[in-house]
């Protein structure tokens, strides 16, 4: 079995989890506004410490609200403060940077073109900085339909693949008289994607571990499939099907940026057990 050379939490996820854990230590009611990071194991671990997930600041009567790594629109932060709740901001510094650039483009009069998934929380936060004049695109089919424009400013959701960002920028150069580009693709996810590609070159089957709603994890699955590999996306060892790994000479294993190492190690042990001739525990 081959483990990718990049694994474990990225610094943004690590910070968000640590800030929530530290808040829980205070003994006050602690709320995560949405999943603090897109991983069910982390949510369960925090729930065991009394942390509740809410979807709206109005759902917190008292205590602390932790803003997720993906960030929120400014009005949500205002709502938290207006309700007299303590706000701990766990927005990743790279997402804050993307929010700053998005606002700057809007303030300078550019039509903001955002590469991202429209309902992803990070994108919901980013467009709140984009003023009234913005477009969200996720696929080539969508960006090919963009109209000609005078001034286009391009930014990206952090977990979008760099090749898609490059292709979008190349296309916008053909439809805009003036363009400004801020590359806000997260370098940590790029490194993880490179590691997934390297892994795909060496194996036929790849197991990708991470939240089903984790954009960066799903991107690893896409990449492996684009390289013609059998890629399976699971959240924990229980989901692993023996038929995926039995008889395989080597199986690749990689986790998303919000996948805890202990979950990855459980999956690794399960793959090894399934590959052995010993009886496998249920
Ligand atoms: S994946 Fe990148 S942008 Fe997202 S939390 Fe991690 S470091 Fe920050």
């Amino acid at each position: 079995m081959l483990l990718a050379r990049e694994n474990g939490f990225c610094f943004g996820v690590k910070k968000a989890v640590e800030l929530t854990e530290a808040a829980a230590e205070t003994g006050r009611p602690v709320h995560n506004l949405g999943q603090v990071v897109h991983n069910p194991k982390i949510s369960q671990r925090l729930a065991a410490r009394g942390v509740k997930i809410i979807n709206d600041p109005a759902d917190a009567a008292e205590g602390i609200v932790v803003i997720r790594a993906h960030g929120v629109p400014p009005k949500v932060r205002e709502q938290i403060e207006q309700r007299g709740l303590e706000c701990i901001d766990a927005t990743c510094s790279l997402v804050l940077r993307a929010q700053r650039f998005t606002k700057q483009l809007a303030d300078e009069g550019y039509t903001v073109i955002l590469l991202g998934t429209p309902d992803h929380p990070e994108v919901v936060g980013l467009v709140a900085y984009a003023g009234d004049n913005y477009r969200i695109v996720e696929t080539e089919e969508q960006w090919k339909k963009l109209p000609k424009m005078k001034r286009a400013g391009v930014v990206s959701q952090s977990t979008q693949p760099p090749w898609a960002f490059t292709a979008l920028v190349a296309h916008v150069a053909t439809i805009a008289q003036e363009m400004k580009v801020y590359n806000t693709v997260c370098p940590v996810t790029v490194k993880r994607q490179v590691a997934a590609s390297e892994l795909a070159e060496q194996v036929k089957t790849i197991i990708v571990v991470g939240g089903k709603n984790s954009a960066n994890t799903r991107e690893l699955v896409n990449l492996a499939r684009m390289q013609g590999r059998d890629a399976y996306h699971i959240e924990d060892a229980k989901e692993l099907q023996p038929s995926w790994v039995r008889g395989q000479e080597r199986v690749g294993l990689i986790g998303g940026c919000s996948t805890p190492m202990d979950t990855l190690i459980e999956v690794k042990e399960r793959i090894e057990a399934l590959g052995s001739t010993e009886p496998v525990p249920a």
Side-chain angles (χ1 to χ4, degrees), residues 28-155:
R28 297 171 63 202
V30 178
H31 311 84
N32 275 147
L33 196 52
Q35 269 184 300
V36 69
V37 297
H38 277 153
N39 187 279
K41 291 272 180 188
I42 305 279
S43 300
Q44 284 161 19
R45 193 182 298 173
L46 294 172
R49 295 183 172 208
V51 177
K52 286 198 182 117
I53 296 180
I54 55 170
N55 293 316
D56 191 299
D59 298 335
E62 56 173 337
I64 302 170
V65 174
V66 182
I67 293 178
R68 60 202 306 169
H70 312 98
V72 291
K75 70 171 187 321
V76 174
R77 189 190 308 261
E78 283 161 25
Q79 263 177 292
I80 296 169
E81 283 157 8
Q82 277 162 9
R83 288 182 58 74
L85 302 160
E86 185 182 339
C87 178
I88 294 181
D89 190 351
T91 310
C92 176
S93 57
L94 295 181
V95 176
L96 290 172
R97 173 179 173 269
Q99 291 176 346
R100 261 197 325 273
F101 285 149
T102 304
K103 182 173 184 316
Q104 188 182 323
L105 289 170
D107 289 348
E108 290 173 0
Y110 289 90
T111 299
V112 173
I113 298 173
L114 170 57
L115 176 66
T117 307
D119 56 356
H120 188 281
E122 183 187 331
V123 173
V124 172
L126 281 175
V127 295
Y129 290 88
D132 299 329
N133 195 11
Y134 66 86
R135 306 290 178 110
I136 305 172
V137 288
E138 194 175 15
T139 63
E140 184 176 6
E141 195 188 351
Q142 290 169 355
W143 68 66
K144 286 270 161 83
K145 288 184 187 152
L146 288 169
K148 291 203 181 303
M149 54 187 81
K150 277 198 174 147
R151 308 181 83 206
V154 190
V155 284

Side-chain angles (χ1 to χ4, degrees), residues 29-280:
V30 178
H31 311 84
N32 275 147
L33 196 52
Q35 269 184 300
V36 69
V37 297
H38 277 153
N39 187 279
K41 291 272 180 188
I42 305 279
S43 300
Q44 284 161 19
R45 193 182 298 173
L46 294 172
R49 295 183 172 208
V51 177
K52 286 198 182 117
I53 296 180
I54 55 170
N55 293 316
D56 191 299
D59 298 335
E62 56 173 337
I64 302 170
V65 174
V66 182
I67 293 178
R68 60 202 306 169
H70 312 98
V72 291
K75 70 171 187 321
V76 174
R77 189 190 308 261
E78 283 161 25
Q79 263 177 292
I80 296 169
E81 283 157 8
Q82 277 162 9
R83 288 182 58 74
L85 302 160
E86 185 182 339
C87 178
I88 294 181
D89 190 351
T91 310
C92 176
S93 57
L94 295 181
V95 176
L96 290 172
R97 173 179 173 269
Q99 291 176 346
R100 261 197 325 273
F101 285 149
T102 304
K103 182 173 184 316
Q104 188 182 323
L105 289 170
D107 289 348
E108 290 173 0
Y110 289 90
T111 299
V112 173
I113 298 173
L114 170 57
L115 176 66
T117 307
D119 56 356
H120 188 281
E122 183 187 331
V123 173
V124 172
L126 281 175
V127 295
Y129 290 88
D132 299 329
N133 195 11
Y134 66 86
R135 306 290 178 110
I136 305 172
V137 288
E138 194 175 15
T139 63
E140 184 176 6
E141 195 188 351
Q142 290 169 355
W143 68 66
K144 286 270 161 83
K145 288 184 187 152
L146 288 169
K148 291 203 181 303
M149 54 187 81
K150 277 198 174 147
R151 308 181 83 206
V154 190
V155 284
S156 175
Q157 178 186 350
S158 60
T159 45
Q160 290 290 316
W163 57 265
F165 188 69
T166 309
L168 170 63
V169 168
H171 177 69
V172 174
T174 67
I175 58 166
Q177 288 175 14
E178 180 191 335
M179 73 186 284
K180 196 164 188 175
V181 177
Y182 286 113
N183 185 350
T184 55
V185 174
C186 167
V188 184
T189 62
V190 174
K191 267 184 165 175
R192 194 69 56 106
Q193 289 164 14
V194 170
S197 280
E198 287 173 1
L199 195 62
E201 282 166 14
Q202 301 172 69
V203 296
K204 187 173 164 295
T205 300
I206 296 191
I207 308 297
V208 184
V209 188
K212 294 278 161 67
N213 55 352
S214 159
N216 78 81
T217 307
R218 288 205 305 248
E219 201 45 52
L220 300 177
V221 178
N222 289 341
L223 260 179
R225 289 186 181 151
M226 280 163 62
Q227 285 180 253
R229 302 298 177 260
D230 292 329
Y232 300 100
H233 183 175
I234 59 173
E235 289 186 343
D236 60 37
K238 288 198 289 293
E239 289 179 62
L240 195 72
Q241 299 292 318
S243 59
W244 298 344
V245 297
R246 278 220 174 103
Q248 299 278 341
E249 201 180 315
R250 272 198 305 192
V251 173
L253 178 62
I254 189 165
C257 290
S258 49
T259 305
M261 274 314 283
D262 51 2
T263 305
L264 207 68
I265 287 165
E266 279 166 24
V267 175
K268 176 177 174 283
E269 289 171 353
R270 178 90 178 150
I271 294 172
E272 286 167 350
L274 286 166
S276 82
T277 51
E278 300 297 318
V280 179

